[in-house]
Amino acid sequence: MPLAPVALAVGAAIVGAVLGWWPLAAWTDRNIRRDRTERMPLRALRAWSAGTTALLFGLVAWRYGLDPVLPALLALAAAGVALSIVDLTEKRLPNAMVFPTLLAVAVLLMLASALTGEWLALAWAAAGSAGMFLFYFVLALISPKAMGMGDVKFALPLGLALGWFGWVMWVAGLFGAFLVGGIVAIVALALRRVTLKGSVPFGPSMLAGAVLALVLLGA
């Protein structure tokens, strides 16, 4: 196995751990509304944030190497971890986190297109963002108890990143979210962590589905 991809993945994982331990954990903690006594202990939050971000950074860096699209994917992964922790804690995806994520991914994808000359990919990204937003919006209208507006808005940056690679990646990421969500729901029911009338936060499954697609189908 070539050492360069491994070294890059390890380096990215270390960077992810550092970012997850402090700035991402602090950003996450600021966006949790509960009183300090009801929140996840800060050390535990930092551990989850650092560990998950390190894992995702390592996987994405190993898969994409020094591709110009890598910064956009890392930004999505980092913000997605923070959003997932908030969603698991409070079952919401705050606008104060979703929209900066969308802006960061959009700017970094524009930079990637400028460096590679792949402007058609940027058009696919915009279409993917709009299409995924509309898909989740219709689901939210049909079943508002199962799909919240936070999920609908989180679809914007996810669809943007997936769409940049074309419709196959977009469909895989969308399908992956529901596959992961279904498995999580079954496990939660089996462990009696939720009832048939309850709901499981879907944001983490959306992120997991997108990352799975990016890692399994990426360049």
Side-chain angles (χ1 to χ4, degrees):
M1 179 182 293
L3 292 178
V6 175
L8 179 62
V10 171
I14 293 172
V15 172
V18 173
L19 291 176
W21 181 262
W22 178 62
L24 281 180
W27 188 40
T28 304
D29 193 53
R30 284 198 304 271
N31 282 279
I32 295 177
R33 292 173 176 172
R34 295 182 181 182
D35 294 335
R36 170 57 61 188
T37 55
E38 298 177 337
R39 296 185 187 184
M40 180 190 301
L42 186 56
R43 185 173 293 275
L45 189 155
R46 284 176 172 172
W48 277 105
S49 177
T52 309
T53 307
L55 175 63
L56 297 189
F57 270 39
L59 285 173
V60 173
W62 168 76
R63 191 58 165 159
Y64 288 87
L66 295 175
D67 193 297
V69 78
L70 180 63
L73 300 182
L74 294 181
L76 179 66
V81 169
L83 281 159
S84 294
I85 293 174
V86 174
D87 200 17
L88 289 169
T89 303
E90 299 192 331
K91 293 186 177 181
R92 70 186 187 93
L93 295 164
N95 292 341
M97 300 178 76
V98 173
F99 291 130
T101 302
L102 175 62
L103 178 61
V105 174
V107 170
L108 291 171
L109 284 180
M110 284 190 284
L111 178 59
S113 292
L115 292 173
T116 61
E118 296 182 6
W119 295 106
L120 182 59
L122 194 61
W124 273 109
S129 181
M132 192 165 287
F133 173 84
L134 289 174
F135 181 87
Y136 278 100
F137 183 70
V138 171
L139 286 183
L141 292 179
I142 295 173
S143 181
K145 291 184 178 180
M147 192 68 60
M149 287 306 298
D151 300 320
V152 175
K153 286 174 281 191
F154 189 32
L156 287 167
L158 291 176
L160 191 69
L162 292 168
W164 200 86
F165 296 94
W167 69 271
V168 173
M169 184 76 79
W170 187 91
V171 171
L174 182 63
F175 174 77
F178 288 92
L179 177 62
V180 173
I183 294 172
V184 169
I186 291 172
V187 172
L189 284 170
L191 297 177
R192 297 184 179 180
R193 302 297 297 270
V194 67
T195 65
L196 289 174
K197 294 183 178 180
S199 62
V200 177
F202 197 59
S205 297
M206 294 171 68
L207 175 65
V211 171
L212 282 174
L214 290 167
V215 171
L216 295 177
L217 301 179

